[in-house]
Amino acid sequence: MTATPASSAAAPPVVDRETWLRERNELLVREKAHTREGDAIAAARRRLPMTLMPTVTVRGPGGDTPLVEVFEGRRMLIAYFHMWHDGKPYEHQCEGCTFSTCHMQMLDYLHARDVTYAVFCQGSYDESAPFAEFMGYRFPWHSAKDSDPALADGRAFGFIACYLRDGDEVYETYWTTGRGVEALMTTYHALDLTVYGRQENWENSPEGWPRVTGHPWRLDGRPTAQWSRPGVAPR
């Protein structure tokens, strides 16, 4: 993955500050409307019905673990269903799932709201747990490889599911996939604030804006987040 050097990229027109403030404030009106619509969607999400989960297990460091125990005593659970390519080296594992989950290192605010975050990996625990250690993940990591198919319910891995615990019963309350997974990707939300955005080819940007060449989530053949991990040769 490479991007056009900023020095050779196009740039917005230069205007006086009064003009800049006026145009920025016009955009602010749209931003506020977008925020309010997001609040309304979130309110509707909180009012969705829920569905009872069957008794299912995942495999973790202590062996087979009932889904209810993954909550770690909290009331809610967010689970990311991580793709896995059996037998492949770390650099060939899913770059999209890596991009999603590598952001979830600060869990204190979730825990303060009675929420546990965990990953359910498509691969076996014995093969995938060392990958989680290599990545430096602090969240619980489990394998869903041999779990009851009702856990994924026919959905392709690479999605988020949310659960509510009522005693020993677990209910699924929400799930999302595709660009819905961007809820975890704080880097994307930050890049969207910058003048050049995500620099990806699908974006609606002016002519001459820098664009990433190659895979947007890989750098020199590895998922980008792996380059800062111990054991990876520096670029």
Side-chain angles (χ1 to χ4, degrees):
M1 177 187 72
T2 57
T4 305
S7 59
S8 61
V14 178
V15 296
D16 61 85
R17 192 164 188 85
E18 181 180 356
T19 301
W20 177 78
L21 285 172
R22 183 178 65 252
E23 295 202 18
R24 192 275 167 273
N25 287 336
E26 289 174 358
L27 180 59
L28 182 60
V29 174
R30 296 178 61 190
E31 289 178 333
K32 294 297 184 182
H34 177 73
T35 298
R36 288 191 293 272
E37 178 61 13
D39 290 342
I41 292 171
R45 190 180 294 121
R46 292 191 294 272
R47 289 164 172 79
L48 285 172
M50 60 187 183
T51 187
L52 180 65
M53 290 292 296
T55 300
V56 295
T57 62
V58 292
R59 189 164 186 82
D64 289 341
T65 306
L67 179 60
V68 69
E69 293 184 12
V70 180
F71 285 71
E72 299 181 334
R74 300 184 181 91
R75 188 81 193 279
M76 290 169 285
L77 170 68
I78 299 172
Y80 183 82
F81 285 69
H82 196 294
M83 295 180 189
W84 188 260
H85 304 300
D86 291 340
K88 299 294 185 181
Y90 295 165
E91 61 267 26
H92 292 162
Q93 293 303 331
C94 179
E95 60 282 330
C97 292
T98 301
F99 184 38
S100 299
T101 54
C102 74
H103 288 83
M104 298 299 291
Q105 299 287 53
M106 173 61 73
L107 303 175
D108 305 68
Y109 291 91
L110 291 178
H111 293 172
R113 299 296 189 273
D114 212 16
V115 179
T116 292
Y117 176 82
V119 165
F120 296 159
C121 185
Q122 188 177 18
S124 71
Y125 183 78
D126 289 345
E127 183 178 2
S128 65
F131 171 79
E133 183 177 359
F134 161 72
M135 291 298 299
Y137 293 153
R138 300 172 59 190
F139 44 76
W141 183 277
H142 302 271
S143 168
K145 184 176 179 66
D146 298 316
S147 297
D148 188 310
L151 180 62
D153 195 25
R155 295 168 288 195
F157 276 64
F159 69 92
I160 298 169
C162 297
Y163 304 92
L164 177 69
R165 181 178 64 84
D166 185 7
D168 291 334
E169 293 185 322
V170 175
Y171 299 85
E172 186 168 357
T173 60
Y174 179 74
W175 77 282
T176 187
T177 191
R179 291 194 62 186
V181 176
E182 289 182 9
L184 307 183
M185 301 175 181
T186 53
T187 297
Y188 262 174
H189 302 307
L191 286 171
D192 284 341
L193 303 179
T194 69
V195 66
Y196 293 134
R198 304 180 188 188
Q199 302 173 43
E200 296 182 7
N201 290 321
W202 64 269
E203 286 182 288
N204 180 3
S205 294
E207 185 70 27
W209 256 230
R211 302 284 189 178
V212 169
T213 58
H215 200 291
W217 299 333
R218 285 185 171 270
L219 181 64
D220 294 348
R222 301 190 76 103
T224 306
Q226 290 187 7
W227 279 105
S228 62
R229 307 310 185 199
V232 176
R235 297 182 67 244

